[in-house]
Amino acid sequence: MQKKLVMPFNEKLSDKVREALAELPHVEEKYMFGGVCYMVNDKMCVGVVGDQLMCRVGEENLEAAQERPGCEQMQMNGRPMKAYVLVSEEGMLTNSDFRFWIDTCLAYNPHAKAAAKRKAK
């Protein structure tokens, strides 16, 4: 049996995200990208990868998001993810900074497309 490599992620930041989404219906936690992703209404919304907040902001909001401190476009296997950014601690120094990112992700969520469901084997 092959062992699955699990990369550590910031559990304290993940707890903060979980708490921010606690009152919402239809939130699911999934472990992916070597971190944790919070699905809202079956769509990837926000997550934690390493010590960074992964935010689904939408392609149309990408440029404005990157102008904020500590924010960069997310890359997967060297390829840019068009609708996602990673936010470092520098971009979440205050509760209002953190809340900005959560609110931005939640505002985009109704416009995001859900991933195709995989068929069970």
Side-chain angles (χ1 to χ4, degrees):
M1 180 157 58
Q2 191 176 25
K3 270 189 154 180
K4 189 174 183 181
L5 179 63
V6 178
M7 295 179 67
F9 60 90
N10 186 324
E11 301 254 356
K12 187 175 179 183
L13 180 55
S14 183
D15 290 344
K16 193 172 179 179
V17 172
R18 187 179 302 113
E19 186 178 310
L21 302 176
E23 300 298 317
L24 296 175
H26 312 294
V27 175
E28 182 183 358
E29 227 172 288
K30 286 194 175 186
Y31 295 90
M32 56 176 72
F33 304 124
V36 62
C37 180
Y38 291 88
M39 311 285 284
V40 176
N41 296 320
D42 295 320
K43 299 180 231 174
M44 287 178 55
C45 185
V46 62
V48 178
V49 178
D51 285 326
Q52 296 178 303
L53 191 64
M54 179 192 73
C55 299
R56 187 176 191 182
V57 297
E59 202 171 339
E60 60 276 11
N61 301 317
L62 188 63
E63 193 174 312
Q66 289 180 93
E67 292 175 5
R68 293 187 63 95
C71 180
E72 64 184 14
Q73 187 172 12
M74 184 175 176
Q75 305 240 346
M76 183 67 73
N77 298 322
R79 294 177 34 201
M81 302 284 289
K82 293 179 182 175
Y84 296 85
V85 295
L86 292 173
V87 183
S88 69
E89 186 178 349
E90 177 190 0
M92 300 178 284
L93 292 175
T94 67
N95 282 335
S96 63
D97 290 336
F98 173 78
R99 196 68 230 185
F100 168 83
W101 290 111
I102 296 295
D103 291 344
T104 298
C105 293
L106 291 173
Y108 179 70
N109 189 261
H111 308 287
K113 291 183 181 176
K117 297 275 185 195
R118 290 186 181 187
K119 292 182 182 178
K121 290 184 179 182

